[in-house]
Amino acid sequence: MKNLLFALLGLAFGFQGIAQEKYLSKEIQIKMAGLAAPEEDRANITVYGYDKEGKVVLLKEGSNNLVCIADDPGMNGISVSCYNKKLEPFMSRGRELKAEGKDMMERRAIRQKEVESGKLKMPDGPSMTYILTGKEANLNRETGELKDAKLRYVIYMPYATTEETGLPDKPHTPGMPWLMDPGTHRAHIMITPADKN
């Protein structure tokens, strides 16, 4: 029994150690989140990140039109993003639902109903999102530098269609813009630059 107790304590402290090891300081989270934004906008962004318990918290109040999200320490790989503040009601609702334990498909269905009912407002025009991704092995945890990161662009255009935009619903060549989820509240143009050879 004593051995089992020590084993369980070891596991608990082991998990705590992993969580502590994955946690990045407020300053590093702000710096990393800003990497997704255009360089000239980085000083004035609003940034949400994570506390040591993994909860989403406001790290920095900004003054421009970009809201940025630091890397989620509970997910594999590195992913930071910045989006137009017009998307904040939609994005913050997604974070709320995730905190309630809803999976991706549940979050999608709930937000769709709320948008369609008028409870949740979507932008009335195109709204930009920047997403920067990379490998954890390429992150310098002391400086926040991320080697070989890839930036992609997402332009939300609620209810846009392929007919309206002239965009296809899938890319035909690497790097080509295309319309994902056409005709829905989540309709957005995807632009993923082709890998350099």
Side-chain angles (χ1 to χ4, degrees), residues 23-34 47 50 59-60 70 141-144:
Y23 173 77
L24 294 167
S25 72
K26 174 181 172 180
E27 294 73 23
I28 294 294
Q29 289 188 67
I30 291 170
K31 179 178 180 180
M32 286 177 60
V47 180
Y50 297 84
L59 298 178
K60 177 179 177 283
R141 301 179 67 81
E142 304 299 317
T143 66

Side-chain angles (χ1 to χ4, degrees), residues 2-169:
K2 187 187 282 187
N3 287 343
L4 178 60
L5 181 62
F6 281 129
L8 290 173
L9 282 172
L11 276 174
F13 283 116
F15 286 132
Q16 185 180 14
I18 290 169
Q20 293 292 332
E21 182 185 312
K22 292 201 88 170
Y23 173 77
L24 294 167
S25 72
K26 174 181 172 180
E27 294 73 23
I28 294 294
Q29 289 188 67
I30 291 170
K31 179 178 180 180
M32 286 177 60
L35 294 176
E39 193 168 348
E40 63 272 18
D41 295 327
R42 292 176 187 172
N44 298 310
I45 58 175
T46 293
V47 180
Y48 286 94
Y50 297 84
D51 65 16
K52 291 184 180 180
E53 283 71 51
K55 292 180 183 169
V56 176
V57 293
L58 178 65
L59 298 178
K60 177 179 177 283
E61 187 74 57
S63 58
N64 65 14
N65 67 346
L66 286 179
V67 178
C68 300
I69 308 294
D71 181 63
D72 182 346
M75 303 292 285
N76 289 327
I78 302 296
S79 179
V80 296
S81 62
C82 296
Y83 52 84
N84 187 291
K85 65 182 178 184
K86 290 181 181 178
L87 283 164
E88 179 59 8
F90 180 70
M91 298 296 192
S92 64
R93 183 63 175 136
R95 292 192 295 271
E96 286 172 12
L97 293 169
K98 184 177 181 182
E100 291 172 12
K102 304 284 193 291
D103 66 27
M104 185 179 72
M105 296 312 291
E106 289 174 308
R107 296 194 301 269
R108 191 173 289 183
I110 291 168
R111 287 193 290 181
Q112 179 180 352
K113 283 182 185 174
E114 292 178 351
V115 169
E116 289 172 354
S117 73
K119 180 180 177 183
L120 184 58
K121 298 294 181 196
M122 292 296 286
D124 55 6
S127 294
M128 189 67 185
T129 299
Y130 307 87
I131 303 166
L132 187 81
T133 58
K135 296 179 181 177
E136 287 189 43
N138 290 339
L139 173 65
N140 182 324
R141 301 179 67 81
E142 304 299 317
T143 66
E145 299 297 326
L146 183 61
K147 290 189 304 183
D148 300 325
K150 294 183 180 180
L151 186 62
R152 73 178 185 274
Y153 311 93
V154 176
I155 305 166
Y156 277 86
M157 294 182 64
Y159 299 104
T161 64
T162 55
E163 294 79 14
E164 174 191 8
T165 62
L167 290 166
D169 61 4

Side-chain angles (χ1 to χ4, degrees), residues 167-184:
L167 290 166
D169 61 4
K170 58 182 174 290
H172 297 296
T173 59
M176 177 184 182
W178 60 287
L179 189 63
M180 188 171 187
D181 298 325
T184 73

